Amino acid sequence: MLVANRLIARLAQQQQYIRLSRPSVSGRLVRVVGLTLEAIGCSAAIGQSCDVETAQGTLLAEVVGFSGDRIYLMPKDDVSGVVPGARVTPVLHDKGVPLTMDLLGRVIDGAGTPLDGKGPIVTTTYASNRKVPINPLQRQPIKVPLDVGVRSINSVLTVGKGQRMGLFAGSGVGKSVLLGMMTRGTAADVIVVGLVGERGREVKEFIDEILGEEGRARAVVVAAPADVSPVMRLKGCETAVQIAEYFREQGLDVLLLIDSITRYAQAQREIALAIGEPPATKGYPPSVFAKLPALVERAGNGAVGKGSITGFYTVLSEGDDLQDPIADASRAILDGHIVLSRKLADSGHFPAVDLEQSISRVMPAVTSMEHQLMARQLKQLYASFQQSKDLISIGAYVKGSDPLLDKAVAMMPAINRFLQQGMKDVVAYDDSLMALTQLLPQPAQAKVG
């Protein structure tokens, strides 16, 4: 009886959705404020696309809200040519993003349209607009480390398959370079890159120079640069996640790189404020903090027999402020964070990973106790030196007053060489552990325990 009631309820919901999606009559445009279009006279569901007539043809827009009989639309293209009273017609047959193995090696926009000039993507499978969350009890636990090809991360901030990591940094400290290093060195089967809100020049540079031909062959790039509408920037992130979910369903291990989740939040802020949602924290409306966990939780391990999505989400810390609302909210919902230091970058230390402020919360579940002790000792030595760096530089530190600091001073040149890595160098997981073992003598490990 219970099953029958659920089926009846589901059928009623589907019929209601179909009824709302079917336009009884085309509406008309009555107001344009900034990028917000207001129309009356047509029925369209939230998230549905509409064609808006313009002087040059048609403009595609998405329904983002309504008030009474008035619907609010956000354009996906340029709003030039829009005239008062223009006809607004809901689109009934929006296929969505194509899903196929042929996506590998391709560059698409947030709507799934190819940008690389290699022709259309032919498939019979398309992404559904409805997101079905995974039952948390059906997710496989994170038990296996993932090789990302970066020595400092493999050894001290080990990442597990299915983990969601944040990459926190200001502008110009090497976020994109570090992402490129991981695409070349990762052991994942497929790489999905979402370049959202970035400069158009950086998109091409990332694809041609940082990703390269070898990395591009097993990667899908979704590009929504800064000059596109906020709707397309939102779609850029969500499309990248949809594609990663498709490959996970095929049983593959996916490395998902989103650059950046801050631009995703800013796009939602633009849309929400434009349709009248009140700001909450530093101008960000509540819907932003609801969308962030909804996006992040779609990554992770799948059910038994499925693959995994290991996500790296870059967080642009405005003014290098790690207490920025988006940075703070992201840190709370992710499984760890890697902080890039501007001081290290300015001193020529790349990748500029700040070990003091970085942590991988699943590292104890995917590494041995010996590995954890070595990583802990390295962080202790690094932190001890950094905390006393000013005293050492002015000659105020007296050797012998702190044995741990004495050892840190002696080992710091070797530690810096260990943490630094060339942009095109790939250091495998096993090689990273071997280098860590050679850096820290065995007797010292026992003292840490």
Side-chain angles (χ1 to χ4, degrees), residues 7 13 38 52 71 90 94 105 118 138 147 166 209 224 235 283 316 347 373 378 383 388 398 420 436 441 445:
L7 290 175
Q13 290 175 355
E38 299 181 15
V52 181
I71 63 172
D94 186 4
K118 295 183 178 180
Q138 293 180 352
D147 185 0
E209 300 178 14
K235 291 289 185 186
L316 183 61
S347 65
L373 291 176
L378 179 58
S388 303
V398 179
Q420 295 181 50
L436 181 63
Q445 296 177 36

Side-chain angles (χ1 to χ4, degrees), residues 195-257:
L195 300 176
V196 179
E198 297 297 318
R199 293 181 287 272
R201 172 187 60 80
E202 287 186 335
V203 172
K204 184 169 179 57
E205 285 182 0
F206 184 90
I207 295 170
D208 293 343
E209 300 178 14
I210 298 178
L211 192 59
E213 287 298 324
E214 184 178 350
R216 186 173 173 179
R218 56 172 177 154
V220 183
V221 178
V222 181
D227 60 342
V228 301
S229 70
V231 167
M232 292 305 292
R233 276 177 270 146
L234 276 182
K235 291 289 185 186
C237 268
E238 293 168 358
T239 295
V241 175
Q242 285 177 327
I243 293 172
E245 289 175 327
Y246 168 76
F247 287 117
R248 179 177 63 188
E249 288 298 306
Q250 312 308 309
L252 301 175
D253 292 325
V254 183
L255 179 64
L256 172 65
L257 307 175

Side-chain angles (χ1 to χ4, degrees), residues 327-347:
D328 195 44
S330 301
R331 191 164 44 241
I333 59 178
L334 293 168
D335 302 322
H337 50 272
I338 297 172
V339 178
L340 299 186
S341 166
R342 186 173 299 278
K343 288 184 178 180
L344 291 175
D346 291 343
S347 65

Side-chain angles (χ1 to χ4, degrees), residues 17-296:
Y17 177 77
I18 292 172
R19 183 182 65 80
L20 290 173
S21 301
R22 185 182 295 115
S24 56
V25 64
S26 295
R28 60 187 179 87
L29 201 62
V30 295
R31 190 166 184 255
V32 177
V33 179
L35 292 179
T36 308
L37 312 180
E38 299 181 15
I40 59 173
C42 62
S43 296
I46 296 291
Q48 189 173 357
S49 296
C50 294
D51 282 327
V52 181
E53 286 188 351
T54 68
Q56 291 85 21
T58 59
L59 164 71
L60 197 62
E62 182 175 308
V63 180
V64 294
F66 60 86
S67 176
D69 61 348
R70 180 168 301 205
I71 63 172
Y72 301 119
L73 304 104
M74 192 67 64
K76 296 182 179 180
D77 307 312
D78 187 14
V79 295
S80 61
V82 175
V83 296
R87 179 179 297 177
V88 179
T89 307
V91 177
L92 291 179
H93 305 292
D94 186 4
K95 290 184 177 180
V97 179
L99 299 178
T100 171
M101 296 298 292
D102 292 337
L103 282 169
L104 294 176
R106 301 301 300 269
V107 182
I108 62 176
D109 65 8
T113 305
L115 298 175
D116 50 14
K118 295 183 178 180
I121 299 171
V122 181
T123 181
T124 57
T125 305
Y126 293 87
S128 171
N129 290 329
R130 186 180 180 187
K131 292 89 177 175
V132 180
I134 299 178
N135 186 331
L137 298 181
Q138 293 180 352
R139 286 185 184 266
Q140 299 179 71
I142 300 175
K143 294 294 183 183
V144 181
L146 178 70
D147 185 0
V148 296
V150 181
R151 183 168 48 234
S152 57
I153 298 177
N154 281 340
S155 58
V156 189
L157 303 167
T158 309
V159 177
K161 287 184 181 179
Q163 184 174 0
R164 288 80 55 90
M165 288 285 283
L167 192 59
F168 291 72
S171 57
V173 295
K175 296 188 306 296
S176 298
V177 172
L178 182 56
L179 293 180
M181 292 171 66
M182 288 191 285
T183 60
R184 285 189 295 270
T186 183
D189 302 314
V190 175
I191 304 159
V192 179
V193 184
L195 300 176
V196 179
E198 297 297 318
R199 293 181 287 272
R201 172 187 60 80
E202 287 186 335
V203 172
K204 184 169 179 57
E205 285 182 0
F206 184 90
I207 295 170
D208 293 343
E209 300 178 14
I210 298 178
L211 192 59
E213 287 298 324
E214 184 178 350
R216 186 173 173 179
R218 56 172 177 154
V220 183
V221 178
V222 181
D227 60 342
V228 301
S229 70
V231 167
M232 292 305 292
R233 276 177 270 146
L234 276 182
K235 291 289 185 186
C237 268
E238 293 168 358
T239 295
V241 175
Q242 285 177 327
I243 293 172
E245 289 175 327
Y246 168 76
F247 287 117
R248 179 177 63 188
E249 288 298 306
Q250 312 308 309
L252 301 175
D253 292 325
V254 183
L255 179 64
L256 172 65
L257 307 175
I258 298 293
D259 186 15
S260 72
I261 199 173
T262 304
R263 305 300 189 197
Y264 176 81
Q266 290 173 346
Q268 175 59 24
R269 177 175 63 180
E270 291 179 41
I271 295 173
L273 293 178
I275 62 176
E277 186 177 352
T281 307
K282 290 190 177 180
Y284 287 98
S287 61
V288 171
F289 302 101
K291 273 187 168 291
L292 285 177
L295 181 77
V296 170

